């Protein structure tokens, strides 16, 4: 496993995309600051010093369950944050919240060439030592704001260990390999939610998350499964 460290990058995901062909499988890219950090749906991710910003580049041979790698990373970050005392929970598909405030976001991107998959990039931003996240554009919190303290290196090592302890099984079995621990940290079963996915908002009661990692909602029109979207609670 190779680790590349930078004081500042435009974004760790962008660096991984530019350099994918030159980097080995399981390379980790870390930046102290990001000048152009991005979240899902091309949203800006405020990346001031004090957070842990890294991307993990993977080049898996099995590609059946690539979307579930994002959910695995979310589960691993959530578990690590709880180890350090944060009451972290999962918000489908890949956000981590504490007291309804965002403490971590994950952006996954897959790169393809005419010959097939070139790589999968899992970009992670965890709020650790920031003291003011008022510019984040949504309710956000850091470990320090929660009165918790940890070393970024220890947190990163714990997250990566958890990830690779489960990586091969998820490659072979998909979300079902981590479904039970994921549901145990997902507090929205039975809750009314709205899913925004660009085309049309969907409102319903959360029934479960399927073995494939899809959100199952009960709506007036019946049960539906949703693969991607923003869950508003």
């Amino acid at each position: 496993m190779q680790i590349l460290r930078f004081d500042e990058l435009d974004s760790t995901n962008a660096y991984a995309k530019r350099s994918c062909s030159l980097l080995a499988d399981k390379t980790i890219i870390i930046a102290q600051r990001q000048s152009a950090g991005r979240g899902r749906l091309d949203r800006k991710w405020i990346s001031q010093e004090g957070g842990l910003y890294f991307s993990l580049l993977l080049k898996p041979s099995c590609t059946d369950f690539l979307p579930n790698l994002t959910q695995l990373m979310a589960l691993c970050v959530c578990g690590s944050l709880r180890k350090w005392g944060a009451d972290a929970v999962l918000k489908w598909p890949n956000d981590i919240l504490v007291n309804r405030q965002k403490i971590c976001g994950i952006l996954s991107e897959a790169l393809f060439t005419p010959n097939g998959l070139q790589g999968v990039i899992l970009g992670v931003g965890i709020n650790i030592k920031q003291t003011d996240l008022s510019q984040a554009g949504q309710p956000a919190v850091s470990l320090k704001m929660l009165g918790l303290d940890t070393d970024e290196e220890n947190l990163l090592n714990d997250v990566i260990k958890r990830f690779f302890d489960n990586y091969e099984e998820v490659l072979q079995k998909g979300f079902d390999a981590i479904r039970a621990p994921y549901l145990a940290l997902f507090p929205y079963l039975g809750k009314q939610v709205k899913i925004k996915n660009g085309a049309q908002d969907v409102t319903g009661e959360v029934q479960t998350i399927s073995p494939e990692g899809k959100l199952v909602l009960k709506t007036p029109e019946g049960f539906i499964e949703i693969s991607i979207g923003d869950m508003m609670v």
Side-chain angles (χ1 to χ4, degrees):
M1 185 184 302
Q2 182 181 24
I3 299 179
L4 304 178
R5 301 176 185 274
F6 298 89
D7 290 336
E8 182 170 318
L9 287 172
D10 49 355
S11 85
T12 57
N13 267 33
Y15 180 90
K17 289 167 71 174
R18 290 193 299 267
S19 310
C20 183
S21 63
L22 305 174
L23 298 175
D25 181 28
K26 301 178 183 178
T27 295
I28 299 170
I29 301 107
I30 304 172
Q32 293 298 309
R33 299 174 301 280
Q34 297 183 114
S35 59
R38 291 184 300 114
R40 290 179 62 244
L41 305 178
D42 213 30
R43 298 188 184 103
K44 185 175 181 181
W45 178 268
I46 302 297
S47 306
Q48 64 196 55
E49 202 158 348
L52 174 59
Y53 311 114
F54 72 92
S55 292
L56 173 60
L57 173 63
L58 302 167
K59 298 184 178 183
S61 56
C62 178
T63 60
D64 294 342
F65 302 108
L66 295 183
N68 302 131
L69 296 177
T70 314
Q71 293 169 311
L72 170 60
M73 181 60 80
L75 176 63
C76 294
V77 172
C78 192
S80 289
L81 291 173
R82 294 180 71 87
K83 175 182 175 179
W84 267 276
D87 189 19
V89 298
L90 294 163
K91 183 167 83 74
W92 180 92
N94 54 6
D95 283 342
I96 296 99
L97 307 183
V98 177
N99 301 329
R100 300 175 68 90
Q101 300 170 96
K102 191 166 181 175
I103 195 168
C104 174
I106 299 171
L107 173 65
S108 62
E109 300 182 87
L111 304 180
F112 291 92
T113 70
N115 296 321
L117 180 73
Q118 186 181 30
V120 176
I121 302 164
L122 301 178
V124 182
I126 307 174
N127 299 328
I128 297 181
K129 295 182 178 178
Q130 300 98 317
T131 56
D132 181 6
L133 290 166
S134 57
Q135 296 182 352
Q138 60 182 302
V141 71
S142 70
L143 286 175
K144 185 167 186 176
M145 292 163 68
L146 293 168
L148 303 172
D149 186 38
T150 187
D151 178 82
E152 291 94 328
E153 195 72 15
N154 287 333
L155 183 61
L156 173 68
N157 290 340
D158 191 73
V159 170
I160 294 300
K161 182 182 185 304
R162 289 170 186 262
F163 184 88
F164 283 114
D165 282 349
N166 295 277
Y167 176 58
E168 293 298 334
E169 188 176 11
V170 171
L171 281 183
Q172 298 300 321
K173 299 180 181 178
F175 183 74
D176 203 35
I178 56 169
R179 185 171 181 243
Y182 191 103
L183 284 170
L185 295 174
F186 178 73
Y188 300 101
L189 297 179
K191 302 289 180 62
Q192 285 286 325
V193 301
K194 177 188 290 185
I195 306 298
K196 301 176 74 69
N197 63 1
Q200 183 177 357
D201 295 351
V202 179
T203 301
E205 181 184 288
V206 178
Q207 300 298 293
T208 189
I209 299 174
S210 76
E212 296 75 37
K214 298 177 182 179
L215 189 70
V216 181
L217 292 187
K218 181 181 180 181
T219 74
E221 291 75 35
F223 291 92
I224 62 171
E225 294 187 354
I226 299 175
S227 299
I228 190 168
D230 278 347
M231 192 176 83
M232 317 296 290
V233 297

